[in-house]
């Protein structure tokens, strides 16, 4: 009974994370109006999130800052290979296509989680997994090609890249949680992601854009809200959820995000949802449902 309760709480935390992530398009597009590039928006988000996570860990458990040197590659993978890579891809995708399309391509992640589980954990690839792969591929084709949204090959690859990077977080995060608390995992993940982002974000140009903003006070507050709402709250919730929910199941539960993103795209940005792209969405979500039955 206790395990069931933990799983239920974990599932609720992951749903909460998905809902907050679904609002990301609003913040990305607003910061884009100030002239920030996708990579600069990523840097703003992960840097401020790293600071907030570090403060939380400092208050919660100072001993949590201590990690074993041999685990450094694990956190490098979480920070660079997952968070930085997937966020750059996703934010770029948001500027290249509709919110719903970008979110759906991101949420091919349960398929990538399954494939990585086969590769790294030697799980068997059975018939249901192959059916899920076929559904996901067909859905991506409809969403990206036949839907009439002018999707380019670059856009498709960028969108799928976000799904791969996001899936990697569930795999590496599950391993890290066997050794460290969720607060330690999120703090070091975002510290490494922030360091990586400053290498590629053209910091001098980003600083000029802050200084030239007519409403810099509002901009700074909005940046902090972006980090809090789209990174700190959802990633902490998701990582806490991973403590009691399997990685593959967590990725599936979090598919509430594209639903939220789609509704925001329709309501806030008046984005159309065509019949073909809608069918593609159904096929991809059907794929993650099939995976949940495995």
């Amino acid at each position: 009974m206790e395990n069931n309760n933990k799983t239920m709480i974990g599932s609720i935390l992951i749903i909460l994370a998905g809902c907050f992530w679904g609002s990301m398009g609003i913040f990305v597009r607003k910061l884009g109006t100030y002239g920030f590039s996708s990579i600069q928006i990523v840097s703003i988000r992960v840097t401020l999130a790293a600071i907030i996570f570090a403060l939380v860990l400092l208050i919660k458990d100072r001993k949590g800052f201590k990690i074993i040197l041999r685990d450094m590659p694990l956190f490098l993978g979480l920070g660079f290979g997952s968070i930085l890579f997937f966020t750059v891809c996703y934010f770029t995708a948001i500027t290249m296509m509709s919110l719903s399309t970008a979110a759906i391509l991101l949420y091919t992640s349960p398929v990538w989680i399954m494939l990585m589980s086969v590769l790294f954990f030697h799980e068997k690839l059975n018939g249901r997994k192959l059916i899920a792969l076929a559904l996901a591929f067909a859905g991506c084709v409809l969403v990206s090609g036949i839907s009439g949204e002018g999707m380019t090959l670059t856009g498709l690859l960028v969108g799928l890249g976000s799904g791969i990077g996001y899936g990697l977080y569930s795999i590496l995060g599950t391993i890290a949680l066997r050794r460290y608390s969720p607060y330690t995992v999120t703090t070091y993940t975002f510290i490494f992601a922030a360091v990586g982002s400053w290498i590629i974000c053209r910091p001098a140009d980003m600083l000029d854009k802050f200084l030239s903003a007519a409403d810099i006070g509002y901009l700074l507050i909005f940046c902090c809200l972006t980090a809090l709402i789209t990174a700190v709250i959802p990633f902490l919730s998701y990582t806490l959820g991973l403590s009691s929910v399997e990685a593959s199941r967590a990725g599936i539960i979090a598919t509430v995000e594209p639903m939220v993103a789609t509704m925001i795209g329709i309501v806030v940005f008046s984005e159309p949802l065509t019949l073909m792209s809608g069918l593609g969405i159904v096929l991809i979500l059907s794929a993650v449902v099939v995976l949940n039955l495995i």
Side-chain angles (χ1 to χ4, degrees):
M1 181 65 72
E2 185 177 349
N3 287 336
N4 289 338
N5 289 336
K6 285 183 178 180
T7 301
M8 178 64 70
I9 293 172
S11 298
I12 292 172
L13 286 171
I14 291 167
I15 290 171
L16 179 67
C19 290
F20 276 97
W21 278 326
S23 68
M24 203 179 302
I26 296 175
F27 295 90
V28 173
R29 290 188 174 181
K30 178 64 177 178
L31 288 175
T33 63
Y34 286 89
F36 294 114
S37 67
S38 298
I39 293 174
Q40 288 172 339
I41 295 172
V42 170
S43 184
I44 292 168
R45 176 176 177 257
V46 298
T47 300
L48 290 174
I51 294 170
I52 296 172
F53 276 127
L55 290 173
V56 170
L57 184 60
L58 186 65
I59 296 170
K60 189 77 177 176
D61 179 20
R62 292 186 180 183
K63 294 181 180 179
F65 282 102
K66 188 178 296 184
I67 61 174
I68 301 172
L69 188 60
R70 69 170 181 267
D71 289 331
M72 195 67 71
L74 180 61
F75 288 106
L76 283 170
L78 280 164
F80 293 168
S82 177
I83 298 301
L84 184 59
F85 176 72
F86 114 70
T87 310
V88 168
C89 286
Y90 186 48
F91 280 25
T92 302
I94 286 174
T95 64
M96 299 175 70
M97 61 194 77
S98 69
L99 289 182
S100 58
T101 303
I104 289 301
L105 290 175
L106 171 66
Y107 269 89
T108 58
S109 60
V111 176
W112 304 121
I113 292 173
M114 181 263 293
L115 289 175
M116 284 186 277
S117 296
V118 172
L119 180 62
F120 298 117
F121 303 141
H122 306 294
E123 293 182 6
K124 293 183 178 179
L125 189 63
N126 58 31
R128 285 184 178 177
K129 291 180 180 180
L130 291 173
I131 291 172
L133 281 175
L135 287 170
F137 178 77
C140 287
V141 170
L142 290 176
V143 169
S144 61
I146 308 175
S147 62
E149 295 184 11
M151 175 69 69
T152 63
L153 177 60
T154 300
L156 175 60
L157 292 176
V158 168
L160 292 176
S162 68
I164 294 171
Y166 179 29
L168 190 61
Y169 183 83
S170 295
I171 298 294
L172 296 180
T174 299
I175 296 172
L177 286 169
R178 296 171 184 169
R179 309 170 194 174
Y180 302 98
S181 74
Y183 301 97
T184 298
V185 173
T186 51
T187 297
Y188 276 101
T189 294
F190 275 85
I191 286 175
F192 282 118
V195 171
S197 73
W198 279 87
I199 297 173
I200 60 176
C201 75
R202 298 168 60 208
D205 177 67
M206 185 167 66
L207 181 60
D208 286 341
K209 289 172 181 175
F210 270 107
L211 295 177
S212 62
D215 52 351
I216 188 169
Y218 170 80
L219 175 58
L220 291 172
I221 292 173
F222 191 81
C223 286
C224 290
L225 283 175
T226 300
L228 187 65
I229 293 174
T230 72
V232 176
I233 294 175
F235 271 102
L236 187 55
S237 296
Y238 188 81
T239 307
L240 286 168
L242 277 178
S243 300
S244 57
V245 178
E246 293 175 349
S248 58
R249 185 175 179 84
I252 292 164
I253 295 171
T255 53
V256 295
E257 179 184 347
M259 301 298 185
V260 174
T262 299
M263 287 188 290
I264 288 175
I266 294 170
V267 175
V268 178
F269 299 108
S270 301
E271 293 180 349
L273 184 63
T274 66
L275 178 61
M276 297 305 289
S277 60
L279 179 58
I281 289 171
V282 171
L283 287 176
I284 292 174
L285 294 181
S286 296
V288 297
V289 170
V290 169
L291 285 176
N292 196 29
L293 298 175
I294 295 171

PDB file of all heavy atoms in Angstrom, residues 94-105:
ATOM      1  N   ILE A  94      10.676  25.643 -31.337  1.00  0.00           N
ATOM      2  CA  ILE A  94       9.541  26.524 -31.054  1.00  0.00           C
ATOM      3  C   ILE A  94       9.550  27.735 -31.991  1.00  0.00           C
ATOM      4  O   ILE A  94       8.493  28.241 -32.383  1.00  0.00           O
ATOM      5  CB  ILE A  94       9.562  26.976 -29.571  1.00  0.00           C
ATOM      6  CG1 ILE A  94       9.142  25.811 -28.672  1.00  0.00           C
ATOM      7  CG2 ILE A  94       8.646  28.173 -29.340  1.00  0.00           C
ATOM      8  CD1 ILE A  94       9.265  26.106 -27.192  1.00  0.00           C
ATOM      9  N   THR A  95      10.746  28.188 -32.368  1.00  0.00           N
ATOM     10  CA  THR A  95      10.834  29.349 -33.266  1.00  0.00           C
ATOM     11  C   THR A  95      10.658  28.952 -34.728  1.00  0.00           C
ATOM     12  O   THR A  95      10.470  29.810 -35.584  1.00  0.00           O
ATOM     13  CB  THR A  95      12.201  30.059 -33.117  1.00  0.00           C
ATOM     14  OG1 THR A  95      13.243  29.170 -33.544  1.00  0.00           O
ATOM     15  CG2 THR A  95      12.447  30.459 -31.672  1.00  0.00           C
ATOM     16  N   MET A  96      10.706  27.640 -35.025  1.00  0.00           N
ATOM     17  CA  MET A  96      10.625  27.162 -36.406  1.00  0.00           C
ATOM     18  C   MET A  96       9.271  26.574 -36.770  1.00  0.00           C
ATOM     19  O   MET A  96       8.979  26.367 -37.947  1.00  0.00           O
ATOM     20  CB  MET A  96      11.702  26.092 -36.656  1.00  0.00           C
ATOM     21  CG  MET A  96      13.119  26.582 -36.475  1.00  0.00           C
ATOM     22  SD  MET A  96      14.337  25.237 -36.630  1.00  0.00           S
ATOM     23  CE  MET A  96      14.221  24.883 -38.391  1.00  0.00           C
ATOM     24  N   MET A  97       8.432  26.303 -35.764  1.00  0.00           N
ATOM     25  CA  MET A  97       7.167  25.619 -36.026  1.00  0.00           C
ATOM     26  C   MET A  97       6.159  25.968 -34.934  1.00  0.00           C
ATOM     27  O   MET A  97       6.482  26.702 -33.998  1.00  0.00           O
ATOM     28  CB  MET A  97       7.399  24.101 -36.081  1.00  0.00           C
ATOM     29  CG  MET A  97       7.931  23.516 -34.797  1.00  0.00           C
ATOM     30  SD  MET A  97       8.584  21.837 -34.959  1.00  0.00           S
ATOM     31  CE  MET A  97      10.167  22.129 -35.737  1.00  0.00           C
ATOM     32  N   SER A  98       4.958  25.428 -35.033  1.00  0.00           N
ATOM     33  CA  SER A  98       3.935  25.704 -34.025  1.00  0.00           C
ATOM     34  C   SER A  98       4.303  25.051 -32.706  1.00  0.00           C
ATOM     35  O   SER A  98       5.095  24.102 -32.651  1.00  0.00           O
ATOM     36  CB  SER A  98       2.575  25.176 -34.493  1.00  0.00           C
ATOM     37  OG  SER A  98       2.576  23.753 -34.502  1.00  0.00           O
ATOM     38  N   LEU A  99       3.725  25.557 -31.612  1.00  0.00           N
ATOM     39  CA  LEU A  99       3.996  24.999 -30.287  1.00  0.00           C
ATOM     40  C   LEU A  99       3.590  23.535 -30.216  1.00  0.00           C
ATOM     41  O   LEU A  99       4.301  22.706 -29.631  1.00  0.00           O
ATOM     42  CB  LEU A  99       3.239  25.787 -29.209  1.00  0.00           C
ATOM     43  CG  LEU A  99       3.711  27.201 -28.896  1.00  0.00           C
ATOM     44  CD1 LEU A  99       2.872  27.790 -27.772  1.00  0.00           C
ATOM     45  CD2 LEU A  99       5.182  27.216 -28.515  1.00  0.00           C
ATOM     46  N   SER A 100       2.442  23.208 -30.803  1.00  0.00           N
ATOM     47  CA  SER A 100       1.955  21.832 -30.723  1.00  0.00           C
ATOM     48  C   SER A 100       2.879  20.874 -31.459  1.00  0.00           C
ATOM     49  O   SER A 100       3.189  19.785 -30.972  1.00  0.00           O
ATOM     50  CB  SER A 100       0.532  21.739 -31.295  1.00  0.00           C
ATOM     51  OG  SER A 100       0.498  22.182 -32.639  1.00  0.00           O
ATOM     52  N   THR A 101       3.369  21.282 -32.648  1.00  0.00           N
ATOM     53  CA  THR A 101       4.270  20.418 -33.412  1.00  0.00           C
ATOM     54  C   THR A 101       5.591  20.222 -32.682  1.00  0.00           C
ATOM     55  O   THR A 101       6.104  19.100 -32.573  1.00  0.00           O
ATOM     56  CB  THR A 101       4.542  21.019 -34.805  1.00  0.00           C
ATOM     57  OG1 THR A 101       3.295  21.210 -35.490  1.00  0.00           O
ATOM     58  CG2 THR A 101       5.425  20.096 -35.624  1.00  0.00           C
ATOM     59  N   ALA A 102       6.149  21.315 -32.148  1.00  0.00           N
ATOM     60  CA  ALA A 102       7.413  21.226 -31.404  1.00  0.00           C
ATOM     61  C   ALA A 102       7.256  20.316 -30.183  1.00  0.00           C
ATOM     62  O   ALA A 102       8.129  19.497 -29.880  1.00  0.00           O
ATOM     63  CB  ALA A 102       7.867  22.618 -30.967  1.00  0.00           C
ATOM     64  N   ALA A 103       6.132  20.449 -29.486  1.00  0.00           N
ATOM     65  CA  ALA A 103       5.901  19.646 -28.286  1.00  0.00           C
ATOM     66  C   ALA A 103       5.726  18.169 -28.619  1.00  0.00           C
ATOM     67  O   ALA A 103       6.211  17.296 -27.895  1.00  0.00           O
ATOM     68  CB  ALA A 103       4.667  20.161 -27.533  1.00  0.00           C
ATOM     69  N   ILE A 104       5.043  17.881 -29.721  1.00  0.00           N
ATOM     70  CA  ILE A 104       4.831  16.483 -30.107  1.00  0.00           C
ATOM     71  C   ILE A 104       6.145  15.827 -30.515  1.00  0.00           C
ATOM     72  O   ILE A 104       6.423  14.677 -30.159  1.00  0.00           O
ATOM     73  CB  ILE A 104       3.795  16.380 -31.244  1.00  0.00           C
ATOM     74  CG1 ILE A 104       2.406  16.712 -30.688  1.00  0.00           C
ATOM     75  CG2 ILE A 104       3.784  14.980 -31.835  1.00  0.00           C
ATOM     76  CD1 ILE A 104       1.943  15.817 -29.556  1.00  0.00           C
ATOM     77  N   LEU A 105       6.991  16.537 -31.267  1.00  0.00           N
ATOM     78  CA  LEU A 105       8.293  15.984 -31.632  1.00  0.00           C
ATOM     79  C   LEU A 105       9.150  15.777 -30.386  1.00  0.00           C
ATOM     80  O   LEU A 105       9.896  14.797 -30.288  1.00  0.00           O
ATOM     81  CB  LEU A 105       9.005  16.905 -32.627  1.00  0.00           C
ATOM     82  CG  LEU A 105       8.384  16.958 -34.030  1.00  0.00           C
ATOM     83  CD1 LEU A 105       9.096  17.993 -34.900  1.00  0.00           C
ATOM     84  CD2 LEU A 105       8.414  15.590 -34.705  1.00  0.00           C
TER      85      LEU A 105
END
